[in-house]
Amino acid sequence: MMEALQDVRGMAAPIRVGTRPADSEKITVNLGYVDLGHVDLLVSEGAYANRSDFIRTAVRNQIERHADITRQSVARKAVEIGLRHYGRAELEAARTAGTTLDIRVLGLAVIAADVSPDLARATIASLEVLGSLQASPAVRQALADRLR
């Protein structure tokens, strides 16, 4: 659910009520006053809907600009791109087979809520997430020494 508040310039500033969507992560960006002024000028001139729209566009442009670096890195390393879900059944199968997982995800890695800390420690040898990791606090703590 979205509601709007008026910011100090009288412009609508959206606020989120409830949980964040699963396809995004909120971050904080510190900008100098001059850079922020430029962003606000572009918003007031209608070039962007709001500050967030400007920042998302700038991030996407930089990702596109450096796409070759991403492709080369993915080619060198076994990295899964996008959303990767690790469920209890998959981890139990790895434990039964006597194997461990080296997890590398660019995007969102989710370790299911029904995965116990003991199962995670027994089956996940290493965990590298470029993006966001969703796991219970207990599983995060159990894997703390394996996070890169």
Side-chain angles (χ1 to χ4, degrees), residues 1 9 14 26 28 40 42 44 62 72 74 87 126 131:
M1 169 183 248
R9 295 163 306 176
K26 184 175 183 176
T28 300
D40 286 344
L42 291 167
S44 71
Q62 288 302 306
Q72 291 168 9
V74 168
S126 66

Side-chain angles (χ1 to χ4, degrees), residues 20-109:
R20 72 171 195 265
D23 65 342
S24 68
E25 176 91 13
K26 184 175 183 176
I27 64 168
T28 300
V29 177
N30 294 319
L31 294 176
Y33 297 118
V34 174
D35 290 339
L36 184 58
H38 280 101
V39 172
D40 286 344
L41 176 65
L42 291 167
V43 169
S44 71
E45 291 296 319
Y48 297 93
N50 51 46
R51 290 174 173 177
S52 293
D53 182 36
F54 173 87
I55 292 167
R56 279 190 297 272
T57 301
V59 168
R60 287 183 190 121
N61 288 341
Q62 288 302 306
I63 290 169
E64 184 178 321
R65 180 178 178 192
H66 299 289
D68 287 341
I69 295 170
T70 302
R71 278 191 289 278
Q72 291 168 9
S73 179
V74 168
R76 285 191 316 270
K77 303 175 184 177
V79 177
E80 297 186 57
I81 299 175
L83 167 65
R84 180 60 164 92
H85 184 271
Y86 296 89
R88 189 170 119 200
E90 180 179 1
L91 297 182
E92 286 177 346
R95 180 169 54 188
T96 300
T99 61
T100 58
L101 305 175
D102 291 306
I103 297 172
R104 286 192 170 128
V105 175
L106 188 154
L108 174 64

